[in-house]
Amino acid sequence: MQQVRVGRRVGRMIGRMMRHLQPGEPLPHLLADDGRDSIVDCALYVRGVRQPDGHTFREAYAAARRRRNGFVWLGLFEPTWAQFAAVAEEIGIDDHTAEKAVARERRPAVERRGDVTMLVIRTARYVEHAELTATSEVVDTGAVTLLIGPHFVVSVRHGGAGALADVRHQLEQRPAMLGHGPWAVAYAVCDRMIEVYHDVSTDVEQDVEQLEQTAFLRVGGCDVQQIYQLKRELVEFKRAVVPLQAPLRRMNDPAVVELPPQLRQYFADLLGRLTQVVDRVASDNELLDSILQARLAQVGLDQNNDMRKIASWAAIAALQTAIAGIYGMNFEHIPGLRWDYGFYLILLIMAVGSVVLYRLFRRSGWL
């Protein structure tokens, strides 16, 4: 807690320093502790067209506010509080909103604070693997937080999944869509995430089908640990997909978010596509549960069969042990003890008894 308070003080100091900079002075770079710049891209758009690069975020944001159809899109990757404080001070968001923006683990949500709307989306990607093991990583998740204002959109990404470079490039090829302002970026990001959800759900479904095919094989079948691992990965994916339904519903409510009229139908379509993914994830989860229950039942049946075999062989061995134990007693009067062929007769009885028991157990299905 003390470190967070210190970080806030440092952020506010940086913000006050920025306000005293001259218009020609650049905005301080957001450098990580290791010297890595957390800015992925920063661009000014006017009427859907990207303006020449070379602007700092402060300069681009100032230019966007001077133009009616201008906005700036700043992309950040895993910034710390101290790095994000300069941006937070410039766009005028409070410390609580800034802390949420830089948090790594967030549930999908949409919140509105004044003129700024914060949209949190969980990212996902399918991790290729040669075979499914008890420790295989199948789905990798992260998060993207979008801060959307009248003349800006700031995207903060955490995790390896959900890179937005392609989203920016494709959106720049559609100036008519980009001309709708910052909410066009929000739509494009949501559209890409849901598209990735579809791809991930398809790949996961193939893994589930492969498990289903091998679940009942006597040799080379899947282990229960493999089913548990895939179920854990599916649950992680489910936590990224299912909670996004509520924010998308709220975004279609004019009382919550003031979407441009031209984009409202686009966001409504996103909800329908997301519902399809949710249904597929639920179906895969139910199928995995069925496979798991069936596999556990099969394991129990195999163990029962093994116990029958063990009991059968133990009974056969018990007959030999009983006969040998009786004739191993130190009594003088035992039938056949002094007969020359008694030894061979006892061996014959033991062999015949073993064969009879074996055939009986075999007929009953125990062997």
Side-chain angles (χ1 to χ4, degrees):
M1 182 62 68
Q2 184 66 23
Q3 294 177 350
V4 172
R5 293 175 180 172
V6 172
R8 291 179 179 176
R9 297 193 188 102
V10 173
R12 286 191 286 267
M13 291 174 59
I14 294 176
R16 287 193 293 268
M17 292 171 58
M18 289 167 44
R19 294 184 180 276
H20 290 86
L21 293 175
Q22 297 300 321
E25 295 179 357
L27 179 72
H29 285 292
L30 303 179
L31 293 178
D33 297 336
D34 57 359
R36 172 181 56 80
D37 194 346
S38 63
I39 297 180
V40 178
D41 199 354
C42 180
L44 171 65
Y45 299 93
V46 178
R47 296 185 179 87
V49 179
R50 178 166 182 161
Q51 303 303 298
D53 294 332
H55 299 281
T56 64
F57 174 70
R58 181 170 180 266
E59 294 171 345
Y61 184 43
R65 286 182 293 181
R66 290 194 299 266
R67 306 200 181 190
R68 180 179 180 183
N69 296 320
F71 73 94
V72 59
W73 180 2
L74 175 65
L76 302 175
F77 178 68
E78 296 186 350
T80 63
W81 166 262
Q83 298 161 9
F84 189 74
V87 176
E89 188 76 18
E90 186 68 22
I91 63 179
I93 61 176
D94 53 45
D95 293 346
H96 182 65
T97 304
E99 286 180 358
K100 288 186 175 182
V102 298
R104 297 183 63 90
E105 297 294 335
R106 292 288 313 281
R107 280 178 60 88
V110 58
E111 300 178 12
R112 184 175 178 180
R113 294 180 177 272
D115 293 335
V116 180
T117 301
M118 181 172 63
L119 175 62
V120 181
I121 309 170
R122 296 291 296 177
T123 61
R125 67 174 177 178
Y126 181 78
V127 180
E128 297 290 343
H129 47 275
E131 62 178 355
L132 182 65
T133 65
T135 58
S136 295
E137 184 179 13
V138 179
V139 179
D140 180 27
T141 59
V144 170
T145 301
L146 298 178
L147 297 173
I148 306 162
H151 295 284
F152 68 87
V153 54
V154 179
S155 58
V156 183
R157 182 168 65 92
H158 291 278
L164 303 179
D166 291 342
V167 178
R168 185 188 291 265
H169 176 72
Q170 294 178 8
L171 193 57
E172 289 174 354
Q173 308 304 315
R174 304 170 60 189
M177 172 64 72
L178 198 56
H180 294 308
W183 281 106
V185 176
Y187 164 75
V189 173
C190 293
D191 180 67
R192 171 56 61 88
M193 294 304 114
I194 295 177
E195 180 182 349
V196 173
Y197 291 165
H198 271 280
D199 296 338
V200 173
S201 64
T202 299
D203 293 331
V204 172
E205 189 174 24
Q206 293 177 356
D207 286 338
V208 175
E209 292 176 353
Q210 184 177 1
L211 276 182
E212 184 183 20
Q213 294 173 359
T214 61
F216 303 102
L217 294 179
R218 291 292 180 180
V219 180
C222 65
D223 295 330
V224 175
Q225 290 80 3
Q226 293 175 284
I227 303 177
Y228 274 123
Q229 178 63 17
L230 184 56
K231 187 169 180 61
R232 282 195 295 265
E233 295 294 313
L234 184 61
V235 168
E236 180 180 357
F237 181 50
K238 182 179 179 180
R239 290 173 180 170
V241 175
V242 175
L244 184 58
Q245 290 180 297
L248 288 182
R249 290 194 187 97
R250 294 190 63 197
M251 290 176 65
N252 284 281
D253 184 359
V256 179
V257 177
E258 295 180 358
L259 288 175
Q262 303 87 343
L263 296 180
R264 191 168 298 279
Q265 183 59 41
Y266 286 96
F267 278 94
D269 293 339
L270 289 179
L271 182 58
R273 291 168 51 197
L274 180 64
T275 302
Q276 296 177 359
V277 180
V278 172
D279 293 340
R280 294 182 64 178
V281 171
S283 177
D284 291 340
N285 190 46
E286 292 178 359
L287 181 56
L288 264 182
D289 287 338
S290 300
I291 295 174
L292 179 60
Q293 295 300 324
R295 184 57 179 166
L296 290 175
Q298 184 183 21
V299 170
L301 181 61
D302 291 341
Q303 291 177 346
N304 188 34
N305 291 334
D306 292 340
M307 291 301 298
R308 287 183 176 184
K309 292 180 180 179
I310 294 173
S312 300
W313 287 113
I316 295 174
L319 175 63
Q320 322 302 318
T321 303
I323 296 175
I326 292 174
Y327 278 85
M329 296 180 181
N330 295 323
F331 293 107
E332 295 183 359
H333 302 288
I334 296 179
L337 186 62
R338 299 186 182 277
W339 186 33
D340 293 340
Y341 299 100
F343 174 75
Y344 302 102
L345 177 62
I346 295 304
L347 290 181
L348 179 61
I349 294 174
M350 294 171 66
V352 171
S354 298
V355 172
V356 171
L357 288 177
Y358 177 81
R359 292 180 64 86
L360 290 175
F361 285 131
R362 186 76 173 177
R363 183 179 302 175
S364 64
W366 283 43
L367 285 177

